[in-house]
Amino acid sequence: MPSSASLNEPRTIHCPVERFGFRPGDDRRLIRWAALRAYFRDIASMSERVDYQELGPVTGSQALALLTISSPQNLGRRDELQAIQRRLADQRPALSSAERGHLLSEGRSICLITCSVHPTEVGGTLMTPDLVYRLATDNGPETQRILDEVVLFLLPSLNPHGWELVNDWYEETLGTPFEGSAPPRLYHPVAGHDNNRDWFMQVLPETRAVVTNVHNAWYPHIVHDLHQMQSNGPRYVVPPYIDPYDPNVDPLIQAQVNALGTEVAAELASQEKTGVATSCIFDAFSPSRAYMHYHGGARILSEAASVRIASPITLRVDQLVETRGFNPRQARATHPEPWQGGTWTVADIVDYNATAVWAVLRHAARYRDRWVSNFSTIQQRALTTNRPFAFVIPPLTAQRDPTTAYELLRILQQGDLEVERAAAPFATTELDLPAGTFVVRVAQPFGRFAKTLLEAQRYPDLTPPGGGAPPQPYDITAHSLPLQMGVTCHEVREAFSVRLERIGPVSPPVGRVLRLAKDSRRFVFSASTNASIRLANHLLESGATLSRCPEGMMIDGHRLDAGAFVVDGVSAELLHRLTAATGVDALGVSRVHPLETRGQTAPRLALYRSWRPDAIDAGWTQHILHEHGFSPRTLRDRDIRKGGLNDDLDVVILAHETAKQIREGNSPGDYPPEYVGGIGDVGARNLRQFVEQGGTLVALDGATELAIQSLYLPVVNILDGVSREAFSSPGSLIRILIDPDHPVGWGFEREAAAMFVSSPAFEVRPSDTSPAVIVASYPLTTPLLAGWMHGPEHLSGRAAVVEVEVGQGRVILLGLRVQFRAQARGTYRLLFNSIYRAGLL
């Protein structure tokens, strides 16, 4: 038993080498998340400079760790510092000269460092133990100045679930031929690599936790997001970003990003770290990766060349390849000293990251007054931005899909935007709007965020003056929420007059049961909303009898489009509970009401999930299906190669992957045998047999290629082989024309907006053996609604969604990203209807 004296001895903060037995960054060594959390907790318990907390909820069982690091004096007055940030963020009423001077004097630079959102990019997280240790123990003047002038928020991993998954896989393959490969499962089970594209939609719980507890609570002046990129490009990339910038990003933020990125590059050069590049590869157009650009702060991205997880690589200089117009072998002003090849290790990544992070912290400390003052200036002029004046969203009851309209408003409020409601009817120069209309004014603290989310984007045409292939955007070129979600929203340029009431969190619609007949025994509800699918699935699960009305109708003044659901055999109590929960209204009609119907059963459903680590679309698809009450079985390559799919399945969904990826899967040299080979020719034959014997195959976007090839469909992708010089649309919102009388188009109006991401366009050929029906097509006029498209005439009049009969079954080709990143909610029902098609009697 220890003596009482030993119990009172001060505890020692051990350096990372002492704690873990190796230096984080040593070859072939990772650290488990529990061990990292325990180290950070222990430091926080022994240091007055470090605070530790856990955020949630998150995906999986691993907690999201947040460290707050500053001087004891700053941590002791956190509430005051946070109040200063809030006052500078919202300068209503206007600051007096004296108040502004006081706030600028007392405020501190607020920094956020985020690491390893993609957990195969381990160098960010492995940099953090030494960073925290030094900040907690070093008493040198540089560290003291940082602690005095900066409040640092550190997220050692934005994806701890994935961090553990990568650790498991790396340990399993260490010392085998497959060492250093990416796990054959998505390292975020929903979003995979897309988990850093969620910063405006906030679908993922990790995103919401960080936005709520850090971004919207503290409004960081600086966000440094540490990433890794391909191994054969430059060694390290930091801003300035390349064009285009989203024009809604304040010019002062753009200038601060440029200055900070250049400072980091100069610091790396001063330490003789070669291969550092700026102004290349990455643009700043999409808000999906840059939340703080619209909330007063500068977000810089650093991208280090990767190794094989934690295993070193060796490259000759001639093995470095050009990436998006940047040649890593060539010296230039933005890349003054190319890397000359050799061995590249995870320790190199950790060292580059540490240099970059310390450069950011020194800059934040040295120019604290400038960062605080510039934040104040940005937020002050946000209140004078008044073109357009506002965006107006008609009441939920006036929306075709009230629940999705509610989701849009909730997204805006999660983004710290003010939503108001008109207390009376009012008119703009072009519109007459009812009381209850939602109004989002642009002149508000984060009004630029509202503008970028609600307007239709106009991405610049960057085609070279002399012709040739236009440069590819780094991400999609359109993200307009009203278009993606199918919500009515109007941009109003000129000011209007009406009394507006600021509202708290918007409430979801509550569905009702409206009895239109005293002897109501049957109930009818619309198929025009995503929520109606959720209700239908709950009813089918409860044992109710469902049928569909193949034609539109009017019932006592209520218009129902083709595809409306009819419910029999359900208790009033259950129906009341389910309609209230889903937000769907049901109309009670007489049992003998003469509705022409077709029976609707619950199809037995499966979703194909390949073992490829980049098969992201399937993750999003599974999430969306679960959200809406479907319970798909997972099909792996082996399951499809085995065959017998008709024994227990009615529908198989192929999410977006190319035919080659689905057919061939992972390469044998990269993975153990159970994870290679794809479905192969045998699996392709089994899918054809599945359809011929009555199954329904639903293929999305790139997967339509496999369906066309393997089932010999009379359909051609007319964009196959068309060069980028002739046609390019790598992520735009476009107009499609839908047949609302076809079961796949039920619940739609004639026109809809859809996400097109280098998607196919079909030409249907006559066939007696496999007749095809066009469900949706591109208009003869230019289809572009938002974003950018080069060569739109290639889509003119072509098909976008096609149903083909094959034997006793059918193939449905959804040639678009109808469920893209859980964002394109206005076209979800094309997928849902395709599933229900198999259960339509």
Side-chain angles (χ1 to χ4, degrees), residues 467-530:
Q472 291 291 90
Y474 187 73
D475 201 356
I476 61 173
T477 66
H479 44 263
S480 169
L481 291 186
L483 290 174
Q484 284 210 79
M485 300 178 76
V487 175
T488 301
C489 176
H490 306 286
E491 180 179 316
V492 179
R493 297 195 63 77
E494 303 298 332
F496 53 82
S497 179
V498 65
R499 184 165 66 86
L500 297 173
E501 302 167 339
R502 175 85 177 270
I503 63 172
V506 64
S507 298
V510 177
R512 303 163 299 163
V513 177
L514 306 174
R515 292 184 179 273
L516 304 182
K518 291 183 180 179
D519 62 340
S520 296
R521 294 294 185 271
R522 312 182 83 190
F523 299 90
V524 187
F525 61 93
S526 169
S528 300
T529 74
N530 292 336

Side-chain angles (χ1 to χ4, degrees), residues 603-609 633-654 662 679-698 706 710-711:
R604 300 168 301 170
L605 173 65
L607 172 66
Y608 168 66
R609 302 292 302 268
R633 170 186 157 195
T634 295
L635 283 182
R636 295 292 187 181
D637 296 321
R638 179 176 54 190
D639 300 320
I640 294 182
R641 292 195 299 260
K642 180 181 176 182
L645 300 174
N646 299 85
D647 294 344
D648 54 4
L649 291 174
D650 301 308
V651 183
V652 171
I653 299 174
L654 303 178
I662 296 171
I679 69 170
D681 292 338
V682 171
R685 284 196 301 271
N686 288 338
L687 285 176
R688 184 166 65 248
Q689 184 180 64
F690 166 71
V691 175
E692 290 172 343
Q693 294 180 2
T696 295
L697 180 66
V698 181
L706 179 101
S710 299
L711 284 90

Side-chain angles (χ1 to χ4, degrees), residues 433-770:
L433 293 154
T437 294
F438 298 98
V439 177
V440 183
R441 284 191 274 189
V442 173
Q444 60 169 293
F446 309 115
R448 288 174 177 267
F449 194 46
K451 187 171 182 290
T452 206
L453 294 186
L454 296 175
E455 70 182 357
Q457 286 69 47
R458 295 290 175 260
Y459 188 88
D461 187 350
L462 302 178
T463 304
Q472 291 291 90
Y474 187 73
D475 201 356
I476 61 173
T477 66
H479 44 263
S480 169
L481 291 186
L483 290 174
Q484 284 210 79
M485 300 178 76
V487 175
T488 301
C489 176
H490 306 286
E491 180 179 316
V492 179
R493 297 195 63 77
E494 303 298 332
F496 53 82
S497 179
V498 65
R499 184 165 66 86
L500 297 173
E501 302 167 339
R502 175 85 177 270
I503 63 172
V506 64
S507 298
V510 177
R512 303 163 299 163
V513 177
L514 306 174
R515 292 184 179 273
L516 304 182
K518 291 183 180 179
D519 62 340
S520 296
R521 294 294 185 271
R522 312 182 83 190
F523 299 90
V524 187
F525 61 93
S526 169
S528 300
T529 74
N530 292 336
S532 64
I533 302 299
R534 190 180 292 115
L535 175 58
N537 277 329
H538 288 324
L539 288 166
L540 287 169
E541 187 178 12
S542 74
T545 300
L546 247 61
S547 55
R548 312 291 295 273
C549 298
E551 296 182 3
M553 71 191 93
M554 291 289 294
I555 300 180
D556 290 351
H558 295 269
R559 170 70 190 176
L560 293 170
D561 293 333
F565 292 90
V566 181
V567 193
D568 290 284
V570 62
S571 71
E573 178 188 359
L574 177 62
L575 188 61
H576 276 283
R577 180 159 52 84
L578 291 178
T579 54
T582 57
V584 178
D585 289 340
L587 308 177
V589 298
S590 169
R591 176 181 290 278
V592 296
H593 197 290
L595 297 177
E596 294 292 333
T597 64
R598 296 177 61 182
Q600 178 70 67
T601 61
R604 300 168 301 170
L605 173 65
L607 172 66
Y608 168 66
R609 302 292 302 268
S610 80
W611 290 115
R612 291 181 54 85
D614 57 356
I616 297 169
D617 201 52
W620 286 118
T621 304
Q622 181 161 301
H623 169 76
I624 291 160
L625 293 174
H626 284 160
E627 267 198 330
H628 290 82
F630 294 98
S631 299
R633 170 186 157 195
T634 295
L635 283 182
R636 295 292 187 181
D637 296 321
R638 179 176 54 190
D639 300 320
I640 294 182
R641 292 195 299 260
K642 180 181 176 182
L645 300 174
N646 299 85
D647 294 344
D648 54 4
L649 291 174
D650 301 308
V651 183
V652 171
I653 299 174
L654 303 178
H656 167 72
E657 286 184 87
T658 68
K660 179 181 175 66
Q661 289 168 338
I662 296 171
R663 193 182 289 268
E664 298 181 9
N666 292 317
S667 300
D670 295 331
Y671 288 91
E674 61 267 34
Y675 301 114
V676 302
I679 69 170
D681 292 338
V682 171
R685 284 196 301 271
N686 288 338
L687 285 176
R688 184 166 65 248
Q689 184 180 64
F690 166 71
V691 175
E692 290 172 343
Q693 294 180 2
T696 295
L697 180 66
V698 181
L700 288 88
D701 202 280
T704 60
E705 179 187 16
L706 179 101
I708 291 169
Q709 293 174 356
S710 299
L711 284 90
Y712 311 115
L713 305 182
V715 179
V716 175
N717 174 16
I718 56 91
L719 295 178
D720 189 24
V722 175
S723 68
R724 277 206 303 116
E725 288 87 345
F727 177 82
S728 183
S729 184
S732 54
L733 287 162
I734 66 172
R735 179 182 289 107
I736 60 172
L737 305 177
I738 299 175
D739 178 0
D741 294 322
H742 189 281
V744 174
W746 278 349
F748 282 92
E749 295 183 291
R750 174 66 170 143
E751 181 179 315
M755 179 59 73
F756 186 104
V757 188
S758 300
S759 303
F762 304 122
E763 181 179 285
V764 176
R765 306 286 171 82
S767 173
D768 294 331
T769 57
S770 298

Side-chain angles (χ1 to χ4, degrees), residues 276-333:
V276 177
T278 63
S279 303
C280 67
I281 301 175
F282 304 100
D283 64 39
F285 186 80
S286 172
S288 62
R289 296 176 294 125
Y291 185 84
M292 276 317 297
H293 280 181
Y294 307 89
H295 293 78
R299 181 255 187 183
I300 70 164
L301 167 75
S302 62
E303 294 269 1
S306 290
V307 293
R308 290 180 60 81
I309 310 296
S311 300
I313 60 172
T314 301
L315 290 170
R316 302 185 310 273
V317 69
D318 63 293
Q319 291 177 299
L320 304 181
V321 299
E322 185 172 313
T323 302
R324 301 190 74 234
F326 176 80
N327 185 347
R329 302 183 301 275
Q330 180 182 357
R332 59 175 76 176

Side-chain angles (χ1 to χ4, degrees), residues 17-248:
V17 172
E18 293 171 331
R19 178 64 175 249
F20 301 113
F22 62 93
R23 180 197 173 207
D26 282 355
D27 287 346
R28 297 181 173 85
R29 303 296 295 267
L30 295 177
I31 307 172
R32 286 290 182 174
W33 185 241
L36 282 167
R37 285 167 54 202
Y39 183 53
F40 296 138
R41 277 198 308 268
D42 287 349
I43 290 179
S45 71
M46 292 182 277
S47 171
E48 294 180 317
R49 305 173 182 179
V50 181
D51 178 73
Y52 175 89
Q53 66 183 112
E54 294 182 349
L55 308 180
V58 295
T59 302
S61 59
Q62 304 300 324
L64 195 64
L66 173 67
L67 289 87
T68 308
I69 304 173
S70 194
S71 68
Q73 294 76 18
N74 287 338
L75 292 182
R77 63 185 193 108
R78 266 183 290 185
D79 290 347
E80 178 191 350
L81 293 175
Q82 188 176 41
I84 290 172
Q85 277 298 95
R86 289 183 177 278
R87 183 66 178 105
L88 292 175
D90 185 355
Q91 297 179 32
R92 299 172 298 182
L95 297 173
S96 68
S97 177
E99 184 184 9
R100 185 175 190 274
H102 171 75
L103 296 175
L104 298 190
S105 172
E106 294 300 314
R108 293 294 179 262
S109 291
I110 310 299
C111 293
L112 170 63
I113 308 291
T114 60
C115 306
S116 303
V117 65
H118 304 140
T120 51
E121 302 168 9
V122 300
T125 297
L126 292 174
M127 176 273 304
T128 61
D130 186 66
L131 173 67
V132 177
Y133 172 76
R134 286 178 61 188
L135 288 171
T137 61
D138 182 44
N139 293 313
E142 180 179 78
T143 300
Q144 286 296 325
R145 184 174 187 184
I146 289 171
L147 293 169
D148 289 340
E149 305 289 353
V150 177
V151 177
L152 169 63
F153 294 95
L154 174 64
L155 284 156
S157 171
L158 281 169
N159 184 3
H161 167 84
W163 180 263
E164 281 299 278
L165 186 148
V166 168
N167 269 260
D168 288 342
W169 178 252
Y170 189 66
E171 288 182 4
E172 180 182 335
T173 57
L174 199 60
T176 75
F178 317 113
E179 176 182 313
S181 59
R185 294 176 175 84
L186 295 184
Y187 48 57
H188 189 287
V190 172
H193 195 79
D194 273 351
N195 61 343
N196 70 322
R197 266 70 171 180
D198 188 45
W199 289 101
F200 66 85
M201 208 71 174
Q202 298 187 45
V203 172
L204 307 178
E206 298 82 16
T207 314
R208 294 194 296 273
V210 174
V211 167
T212 299
N213 292 283
V214 184
H215 287 284
N216 291 356
W218 281 92
Y219 310 115
H221 304 128
I222 298 170
V223 177
H224 183 186
D225 191 13
L226 279 70
H227 283 252
Q228 292 171 209
M229 57 190 296
Q230 72 270 19
S231 59
N232 56 356
R235 295 303 89 189
Y236 210 74
V237 176
V238 289
Y241 299 111
I242 61 173
D243 288 329
Y245 248 99
D246 181 355
N248 293 313

